[in-house]
């Protein structure tokens, strides 16, 4: 238990102190301080200057594109909320009870917040309406204009800071996560090869390395998406287009390989239950070797000098398994087991774009 707590604490510490997180913390702090210093220069009431750092906070995201988008969405949500708050003040002057007015404004704000197109601005509709209704008093117009302008100024400062101070590029992070996914798939294939060699394809045991694969794929998808987004509006982005294309190609290829690997596990588990996997020690050994060679190919880093040889070895091993099947069962028996051969060949084909190109 203590070891588990220590591992979790270490993981959290690494996440908190990761260089991208520290960089964003520094940029956010600089942006908030700068917005606070410059806000009194705006043609608004000085007493509302504290909303400028708030604008920085709502706009500071890991990527330039996300900063600009979230800032615009927050401003839109604020504008809608301010309008709703002003309507609430009109209702008060018309004689509607204060408690009922407050309840209606909040309810309508929450309903409007259900519009997905508002993005992060959805959360600000009801909040802005509440601020205008409760804090503006008899100066509703001045407060509303100052509120929107000051937050907008903070958003502008946040986006500019994000562009000027080391605008982040997350391609290396995404590439590392893709390599982790590659290793997870290779491990699944190696476990499958070991079980085939033993003549006992235990579905539960094979499913162990497969259990977390969906979560890993989802995480890697998010990393690749964020890396792709980090290039939008980024002055450093043009130098990384080739890496961006490579990451997207790897993601598509690894998804296909994961799909084929799972299908292979299902097919071999079914054959094992039917006792068809035991077509002879030679065929079983050839199948285990073919799977292992495919696993080695999948696990090969991009540009590795051994990748061409591993591709050739995998092709030969799959061919040897097909020959062993023919010898053990005859041509008629091969037909029912050809699915495994086909899946192994598809795994090889999906890996081919990443066989060493001499880089």
């Amino acid at each position: 238990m203590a070891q588990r707590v220590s591992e979790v604490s270490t993981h959290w510490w690494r996440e908190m102190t990761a260089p991208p997180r520290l960089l964003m913390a520094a940029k956010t702090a600089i942006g908030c301080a700068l917005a606070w210093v410059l806000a009194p220069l705006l043609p608004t009431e000085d007493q509302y200057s504290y909303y400028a750092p708030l604008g920085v906070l709502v706009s500071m995201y890991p990527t330039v594109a996300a900063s600009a988008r979230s800032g615009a969405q927050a401003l839109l949500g604020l504008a809608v909320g301010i309008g709703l708050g002003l309507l609430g003040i009109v209702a008060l002057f018309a004689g509607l009870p204060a408690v009922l007015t407050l309840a209606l404004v909040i309810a309508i704000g929450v309903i409007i917040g259900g519009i997905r197109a508002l993005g992060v601005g959805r959360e600000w509709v009801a909040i802005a309406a509440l601020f205008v209704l409760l804090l503006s008093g008899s100066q509703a117009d001045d407060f509303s204009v100052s509120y929107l302008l000051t937050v907008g100024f903070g958003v502008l400062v946040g986006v500019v800071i994000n562009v000027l101070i080391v605008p982040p590029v997350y391609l290396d992070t995404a590439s590392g996560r893709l390599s982790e996914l590659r290793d997870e798939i290779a491990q699944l294939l190696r476990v499958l090869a070991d079980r085939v060699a033993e003549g006992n394809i235990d579905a539960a045991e094979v499913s162990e390395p497969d259990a977390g694969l969906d979560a890993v794929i989802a995480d890697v998808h998010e990393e690749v998406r964020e890396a792709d987004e980090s290039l939008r509006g980024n002055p450093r982005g043009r130098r990384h287009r080739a890496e961006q294309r490579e990451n997207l190609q790897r993601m598509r290829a690894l998804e296909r390989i994961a799909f084929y690997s799972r299908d292979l596990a299902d097919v071999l588990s079914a054959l094992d239950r039917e006792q068809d996997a035991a077509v002879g020690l030679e065929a079983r050994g050839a199948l285990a070797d073919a799977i292992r060679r495919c696993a080695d190919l999948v696990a090969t880093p991009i540009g590795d000098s051994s990748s061409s040889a591993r591709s050739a070895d995998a092709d030969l091993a799959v061919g040897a398994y097909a020959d062993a099947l023919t010898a053990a069962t005859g041509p008629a028996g091969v037909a029912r087991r050809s699915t495994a051969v086909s899946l192994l060949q598809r795994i090889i084909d999906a890996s081919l774009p990443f066989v060493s190109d001499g880089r």
Side-chain angles (χ1 to χ4, degrees):
M1 180 64 179
Q3 182 179 359
R4 176 59 180 165
V5 171
S6 176
E7 289 175 355
V8 171
S9 300
T10 301
H11 176 70
W12 286 352
W13 177 253
R14 287 176 180 171
E15 285 186 335
M16 289 189 298
T17 58
R21 173 58 55 176
L22 295 178
L23 175 62
M24 191 166 76
K27 292 198 294 186
T28 304
I30 292 171
C32 286
L34 188 61
W36 173 261
V37 171
L38 297 179
L41 302 178
L42 295 174
T44 60
E45 296 290 338
D46 289 351
Q47 60 181 316
Y48 302 125
S49 295
Y50 58 86
Y51 286 122
L54 177 63
V56 175
L57 286 174
V58 301
S59 67
M60 191 59 71
Y61 275 71
T63 65
V64 173
S67 286
R69 182 177 61 250
S70 62
Q73 290 171 342
L75 288 177
L76 180 57
L78 286 172
V80 173
I82 288 171
L84 181 58
L86 292 175
L87 288 176
I89 291 174
V90 170
L92 286 174
F93 280 113
L96 198 66
V99 173
L100 180 58
T101 301
L102 176 64
L104 285 174
V105 165
I106 296 301
I108 295 172
V110 172
I111 291 172
I112 294 174
I115 301 175
R116 293 184 179 275
L118 288 173
V120 299
R122 298 163 63 188
E123 308 298 330
W124 291 96
V125 176
I127 294 174
L130 181 65
F131 279 10
V132 170
L133 192 61
L134 298 183
L135 301 180
S136 61
S138 60
Q139 299 177 332
D141 292 344
D142 290 342
F143 174 83
S144 300
V145 172
S146 297
Y147 186 19
L148 190 59
L149 284 180
T150 309
V151 173
F153 174 72
V155 167
L156 177 63
V157 170
V159 173
V160 170
I161 289 291
N162 216 2
V163 171
L164 295 181
I165 302 180
V166 196
V169 173
Y170 294 115
L171 292 172
D172 288 343
T173 303
S175 180
R177 294 291 284 137
L178 284 164
S179 296
E180 290 177 19
L181 174 59
R182 175 199 68 201
D183 294 341
E184 291 273 350
I185 298 171
Q187 179 60 20
L188 171 62
L189 288 170
R190 290 189 177 109
V191 169
L192 188 58
D194 291 342
R195 299 292 79 78
V196 168
E198 295 167 4
N200 179 25
I201 307 174
D202 187 333
E205 192 168 352
V206 170
S207 67
E208 269 188 37
D210 183 36
L213 203 54
D214 282 333
V216 175
I217 290 175
D219 287 345
V220 174
H221 252 301
E222 180 60 23
E223 292 284 358
V224 172
R225 184 203 63 75
E226 189 168 280
D228 185 53
E229 187 178 71
S230 72
L231 300 185
R232 298 175 190 168
N234 192 330
R236 302 170 60 204
R238 293 182 181 178
R239 301 194 299 269
H240 300 279
R241 295 301 178 190
E243 298 167 61
Q244 179 190 26
R245 287 192 295 271
E246 183 178 271
N247 279 351
L248 293 173
Q249 290 170 356
R250 288 182 71 193
M251 185 72 246
R252 287 193 290 267
L254 288 170
E255 283 183 310
R256 290 197 299 273
I257 294 171
F259 177 79
Y260 299 145
S261 299
R262 286 166 157 171
D263 262 11
L264 180 64
D266 291 341
V267 166
L268 294 179
S269 293
L271 290 176
D272 190 57
R273 288 194 299 272
E274 298 169 10
Q275 297 184 340
D276 276 358
V279 294
L281 289 176
E282 184 178 352
R284 193 171 70 208
L287 174 57
D289 183 59
I291 297 172
R292 198 169 285 113
R293 298 290 183 180
C294 287
D296 291 342
L297 176 61
V298 170
T300 306
I302 294 178
D304 190 292
S305 59
S306 66
S307 57
S308 294
R310 290 187 180 187
S311 176
D313 289 345
D315 267 324
L316 290 173
V318 172
Y321 168 56
D323 293 341
L325 269 181
T326 302
T329 65
V334 173
R336 293 187 63 243
R337 304 173 183 87
S338 61
T339 303
V341 176
S342 175
L343 288 169
L344 288 169
Q345 191 58 58
R346 289 180 181 182
I347 290 172
I348 295 172
D349 292 342
S351 302
L352 286 181
F354 307 105
V355 170
S356 178
D357 55 8
R359 285 179 299 162

